[in-house]
Amino acid sequence: MWSGADRAIGVCMGDSQVTIKLTSDEALVLSHWLERLQMTDLSRVVDDPAVWAPIHRIAGTLDKTLPELFAPDYDQRLEAARQRLRLED
């Protein structure tokens, strides 16, 4: 489930649902980081295999909902999002 400039990830947990809200910048930066994480040997980074399924699910949800991932200027958009998030600290 996504909406507006703020993005929300809907994740079902048992009979309940958890929604995580992210700004577009947060979603883009997180998607990139998760992609890099998934390209590594997850077992060296995440010691509990139970965490792998939620990582893949969140990454997949972001991949399906972020058109920026396929933009020709993706690298520039990603760097701009990173800069804006760094300024918020």
mmCIF file of all heavy atoms in Angstrom, residues 30-54:
data_model
loop_
_atom_site.group_PDB
_atom_site.id
_atom_site.type_symbol
_atom_site.label_atom_id
_atom_site.label_comp_id
_atom_site.label_asym_id
_atom_site.label_seq_id
_atom_site.Cartn_x
_atom_site.Cartn_y
_atom_site.Cartn_z
ATOM 1 N N LEU A 30 16.461 3.594 0.944
ATOM 2 C CA LEU A 30 16.328 2.273 1.551
ATOM 3 C C LEU A 30 16.309 1.184 0.482
ATOM 4 O O LEU A 30 16.944 0.139 0.643
ATOM 5 C CB LEU A 30 15.061 2.192 2.401
ATOM 6 C CG LEU A 30 14.797 0.849 3.084
ATOM 7 C CD1 LEU A 30 15.931 0.471 4.030
ATOM 8 C CD2 LEU A 30 13.471 0.887 3.823
ATOM 9 N N SER A 31 15.611 1.410 -0.607
ATOM 10 C CA SER A 31 15.559 0.433 -1.692
ATOM 11 C C SER A 31 16.952 0.141 -2.228
ATOM 12 O O SER A 31 17.319 -1.013 -2.452
ATOM 13 C CB SER A 31 14.660 0.952 -2.823
ATOM 14 O OG SER A 31 14.704 0.072 -3.916
ATOM 15 N N HIS A 32 17.731 1.177 -2.424
ATOM 16 C CA HIS A 32 19.104 0.995 -2.928
ATOM 17 C C HIS A 32 19.942 0.189 -1.932
ATOM 18 O O HIS A 32 20.661 -0.740 -2.311
ATOM 19 C CB HIS A 32 19.754 2.352 -3.194
ATOM 20 C CG HIS A 32 21.130 2.245 -3.731
ATOM 21 N ND1 HIS A 32 21.392 1.933 -5.039
ATOM 22 C CD2 HIS A 32 22.333 2.381 -3.130
ATOM 23 C CE1 HIS A 32 22.692 1.881 -5.223
ATOM 24 N NE2 HIS A 32 23.288 2.157 -4.086
ATOM 25 N N TRP A 33 19.833 0.529 -0.664
ATOM 26 C CA TRP A 33 20.604 -0.181 0.368
ATOM 27 C C TRP A 33 20.183 -1.648 0.452
ATOM 28 O O TRP A 33 21.032 -2.542 0.547
ATOM 29 C CB TRP A 33 20.423 0.519 1.718
ATOM 30 C CG TRP A 33 21.209 -0.122 2.808
ATOM 31 C CD1 TRP A 33 22.537 0.070 3.084
ATOM 32 C CD2 TRP A 33 20.727 -1.078 3.754
ATOM 33 N NE1 TRP A 33 22.894 -0.710 4.157
ATOM 34 C CE2 TRP A 33 21.808 -1.423 4.590
ATOM 35 C CE3 TRP A 33 19.488 -1.664 3.992
ATOM 36 C CZ2 TRP A 33 21.687 -2.330 5.640
ATOM 37 C CZ3 TRP A 33 19.367 -2.565 5.031
ATOM 38 C CH2 TRP A 33 20.463 -2.883 5.835
ATOM 39 N N LEU A 34 18.884 -1.896 0.410
ATOM 40 C CA LEU A 34 18.400 -3.279 0.466
ATOM 41 C C LEU A 34 18.873 -4.077 -0.746
ATOM 42 O O LEU A 34 19.205 -5.256 -0.630
ATOM 43 C CB LEU A 34 16.873 -3.311 0.567
ATOM 44 C CG LEU A 34 16.299 -2.907 1.919
ATOM 45 C CD1 LEU A 34 14.783 -2.753 1.832
ATOM 46 C CD2 LEU A 34 16.679 -3.912 2.999
ATOM 47 N N GLU A 35 18.901 -3.454 -1.908
ATOM 48 C CA GLU A 35 19.398 -4.133 -3.109
ATOM 49 C C GLU A 35 20.858 -4.547 -2.913
ATOM 50 O O GLU A 35 21.245 -5.668 -3.223
ATOM 51 C CB GLU A 35 19.252 -3.213 -4.325
ATOM 52 C CG GLU A 35 19.787 -3.796 -5.609
ATOM 53 C CD GLU A 35 18.981 -4.986 -6.119
ATOM 54 O OE1 GLU A 35 17.791 -5.105 -5.788
ATOM 55 O OE2 GLU A 35 19.561 -5.795 -6.874
ATOM 56 N N ARG A 36 21.649 -3.622 -2.402
ATOM 57 C CA ARG A 36 23.064 -3.939 -2.144
ATOM 58 C C ARG A 36 23.191 -5.042 -1.100
ATOM 59 O O ARG A 36 24.013 -5.948 -1.236
ATOM 60 C CB ARG A 36 23.818 -2.689 -1.691
ATOM 61 C CG ARG A 36 24.000 -1.701 -2.829
ATOM 62 C CD ARG A 36 24.756 -0.453 -2.443
ATOM 63 N NE ARG A 36 25.914 -0.736 -1.636
ATOM 64 C CZ ARG A 36 26.363 0.062 -0.670
ATOM 65 N NH1 ARG A 36 25.736 1.182 -0.398
ATOM 66 N NH2 ARG A 36 27.424 -0.259 0.021
ATOM 67 N N LEU A 37 22.364 -4.989 -0.061
ATOM 68 C CA LEU A 37 22.386 -6.007 0.983
ATOM 69 C C LEU A 37 22.054 -7.379 0.411
ATOM 70 O O LEU A 37 22.720 -8.372 0.717
ATOM 71 C CB LEU A 37 21.399 -5.646 2.097
ATOM 72 C CG LEU A 37 21.231 -6.665 3.224
ATOM 73 C CD1 LEU A 37 22.526 -6.794 4.017
ATOM 74 C CD2 LEU A 37 20.085 -6.264 4.132
ATOM 75 N N GLN A 38 21.039 -7.423 -0.436
ATOM 76 C CA GLN A 38 20.629 -8.702 -1.004
ATOM 77 C C GLN A 38 21.676 -9.279 -1.960
ATOM 78 O O GLN A 38 21.675 -10.484 -2.207
ATOM 79 C CB GLN A 38 19.289 -8.552 -1.731
ATOM 80 C CG GLN A 38 18.144 -8.302 -0.778
ATOM 81 C CD GLN A 38 16.847 -8.136 -1.518
ATOM 82 O OE1 GLN A 38 16.094 -9.068 -1.632
ATOM 83 N NE2 GLN A 38 16.608 -6.938 -2.033
ATOM 84 N N MET A 39 22.540 -8.450 -2.482
ATOM 85 C CA MET A 39 23.595 -8.928 -3.386
ATOM 86 C C MET A 39 24.774 -9.507 -2.616
ATOM 87 O O MET A 39 25.671 -10.092 -3.209
ATOM 88 C CB MET A 39 24.074 -7.799 -4.302
ATOM 89 C CG MET A 39 23.021 -7.343 -5.258
ATOM 90 S SD MET A 39 22.521 -8.745 -6.270
ATOM 91 C CE MET A 39 21.426 -7.990 -7.393
ATOM 92 N N THR A 40 24.782 -9.344 -1.308
ATOM 93 C CA THR A 40 25.845 -9.913 -0.485
ATOM 94 C C THR A 40 25.402 -11.285 0.009
ATOM 95 O O THR A 40 24.278 -11.711 -0.228
ATOM 96 C CB THR A 40 26.140 -9.030 0.747
ATOM 97 O OG1 THR A 40 24.998 -9.059 1.609
ATOM 98 C CG2 THR A 40 26.468 -7.609 0.365
ATOM 99 N N ASP A 41 26.258 -11.947 0.711
ATOM 100 C CA ASP A 41 25.888 -13.198 1.366
ATOM 101 C C ASP A 41 25.140 -12.807 2.639
ATOM 102 O O ASP A 41 25.760 -12.439 3.642
ATOM 103 C CB ASP A 41 27.145 -14.005 1.689
ATOM 104 C CG ASP A 41 26.855 -15.308 2.401
ATOM 105 O OD1 ASP A 41 25.667 -15.646 2.584
ATOM 106 O OD2 ASP A 41 27.819 -15.989 2.788
ATOM 107 N N LEU A 42 23.806 -12.857 2.586
ATOM 108 C CA LEU A 42 22.991 -12.409 3.718
ATOM 109 C C LEU A 42 23.383 -13.088 5.023
ATOM 110 O O LEU A 42 23.289 -12.495 6.086
ATOM 111 C CB LEU A 42 21.508 -12.648 3.446
ATOM 112 C CG LEU A 42 20.765 -11.567 2.683
ATOM 113 C CD1 LEU A 42 19.317 -11.972 2.463
ATOM 114 C CD2 LEU A 42 20.829 -10.231 3.377
ATOM 115 N N SER A 43 23.823 -14.319 4.947
ATOM 116 C CA SER A 43 24.157 -15.042 6.175
ATOM 117 C C SER A 43 25.352 -14.419 6.890
ATOM 118 O O SER A 43 25.518 -14.599 8.091
ATOM 119 C CB SER A 43 24.429 -16.517 5.887
ATOM 120 O OG SER A 43 25.575 -16.664 5.075
ATOM 121 N N ARG A 44 26.173 -13.659 6.176
ATOM 122 C CA ARG A 44 27.305 -12.986 6.837
ATOM 123 C C ARG A 44 26.878 -11.680 7.488
ATOM 124 O O ARG A 44 27.520 -11.205 8.408
ATOM 125 C CB ARG A 44 28.433 -12.723 5.839
ATOM 126 C CG ARG A 44 29.080 -14.004 5.372
ATOM 127 C CD ARG A 44 30.302 -13.799 4.534
ATOM 128 N NE ARG A 44 30.187 -12.716 3.579
ATOM 129 C CZ ARG A 44 31.217 -11.977 3.194
ATOM 130 N NH1 ARG A 44 32.420 -12.201 3.668
ATOM 131 N NH2 ARG A 44 31.059 -11.019 2.306
ATOM 132 N N VAL A 45 25.785 -11.093 7.012
ATOM 133 C CA VAL A 45 25.329 -9.802 7.515
ATOM 134 C C VAL A 45 24.190 -9.962 8.515
ATOM 135 O O VAL A 45 24.143 -9.282 9.534
ATOM 136 C CB VAL A 45 24.874 -8.900 6.343
ATOM 137 C CG1 VAL A 45 24.373 -7.561 6.851
ATOM 138 C CG2 VAL A 45 25.988 -8.714 5.341
ATOM 139 N N VAL A 46 23.261 -10.879 8.211
ATOM 140 C CA VAL A 46 22.079 -11.107 9.039
ATOM 141 C C VAL A 46 22.168 -12.530 9.568
ATOM 142 O O VAL A 46 22.043 -13.484 8.805
ATOM 143 C CB VAL A 46 20.791 -10.909 8.220
ATOM 144 C CG1 VAL A 46 19.566 -11.131 9.085
ATOM 145 C CG2 VAL A 46 20.766 -9.520 7.591
ATOM 146 N N ASP A 47 22.397 -12.664 10.865
ATOM 147 C CA ASP A 47 22.669 -13.991 11.429
ATOM 148 C C ASP A 47 21.429 -14.849 11.654
ATOM 149 O O ASP A 47 21.538 -16.029 11.934
ATOM 150 C CB ASP A 47 23.467 -13.876 12.723
ATOM 151 C CG ASP A 47 22.710 -13.141 13.815
ATOM 152 O OD1 ASP A 47 21.657 -12.548 13.526
ATOM 153 O OD2 ASP A 47 23.182 -13.157 14.968
ATOM 154 N N ASP A 48 20.246 -14.290 11.505
ATOM 155 C CA ASP A 48 19.015 -15.046 11.723
ATOM 156 C C ASP A 48 18.257 -15.178 10.402
ATOM 157 O O ASP A 48 17.707 -14.193 9.902
ATOM 158 C CB ASP A 48 18.146 -14.331 12.758
ATOM 159 C CG ASP A 48 16.887 -15.096 13.104
ATOM 160 O OD1 ASP A 48 16.630 -16.160 12.496
ATOM 161 O OD2 ASP A 48 16.148 -14.620 13.970
ATOM 162 N N PRO A 49 18.209 -16.370 9.818
ATOM 163 C CA PRO A 49 17.510 -16.559 8.542
ATOM 164 C C PRO A 49 16.035 -16.146 8.582
ATOM 165 O O PRO A 49 15.452 -15.861 7.534
ATOM 166 C CB PRO A 49 17.639 -18.057 8.265
ATOM 167 C CG PRO A 49 18.848 -18.484 9.031
ATOM 168 C CD PRO A 49 18.879 -17.597 10.255
ATOM 169 N N ALA A 50 15.440 -16.064 9.740
ATOM 170 C CA ALA A 50 14.040 -15.632 9.840
ATOM 171 C C ALA A 50 13.875 -14.186 9.381
ATOM 172 O O ALA A 50 12.780 -13.783 9.000
ATOM 173 C CB ALA A 50 13.544 -15.789 11.280
ATOM 174 N N VAL A 51 14.941 -13.416 9.391
ATOM 175 C CA VAL A 51 14.887 -12.013 8.988
ATOM 176 C C VAL A 51 14.948 -11.876 7.464
ATOM 177 O O VAL A 51 14.518 -10.866 6.911
ATOM 178 C CB VAL A 51 16.043 -11.226 9.657
ATOM 179 C CG1 VAL A 51 16.062 -9.778 9.222
ATOM 180 C CG2 VAL A 51 15.931 -11.323 11.165
ATOM 181 N N TRP A 52 15.441 -12.872 6.770
ATOM 182 C CA TRP A 52 15.616 -12.776 5.327
ATOM 183 C C TRP A 52 14.300 -12.560 4.590
ATOM 184 O O TRP A 52 14.228 -11.748 3.666
ATOM 185 C CB TRP A 52 16.323 -14.009 4.783
ATOM 186 C CG TRP A 52 17.684 -14.246 5.352
ATOM 187 C CD1 TRP A 52 18.398 -13.413 6.177
ATOM 188 C CD2 TRP A 52 18.493 -15.401 5.178
ATOM 189 N NE1 TRP A 52 19.593 -13.996 6.524
ATOM 190 C CE2 TRP A 52 19.679 -15.213 5.915
ATOM 191 C CE3 TRP A 52 18.330 -16.586 4.477
ATOM 192 C CZ2 TRP A 52 20.694 -16.164 5.955
ATOM 193 C CZ3 TRP A 52 19.344 -17.536 4.510
ATOM 194 C CH2 TRP A 52 20.513 -17.309 5.246
ATOM 195 N N ALA A 53 13.250 -13.284 4.978
ATOM 196 C CA ALA A 53 11.956 -13.155 4.282
ATOM 197 C C ALA A 53 11.416 -11.725 4.363
ATOM 198 O O ALA A 53 11.016 -11.160 3.337
ATOM 199 C CB ALA A 53 10.948 -14.162 4.823
ATOM 200 N N PRO A 54 11.405 -11.102 5.556
ATOM 201 C CA PRO A 54 10.927 -9.711 5.586
ATOM 202 C C PRO A 54 11.816 -8.755 4.790
ATOM 203 O O PRO A 54 11.306 -7.823 4.163
ATOM 204 C CB PRO A 54 10.930 -9.343 7.070
ATOM 205 C CG PRO A 54 11.004 -10.616 7.812
ATOM 206 C CD PRO A 54 11.613 -11.631 6.904
#
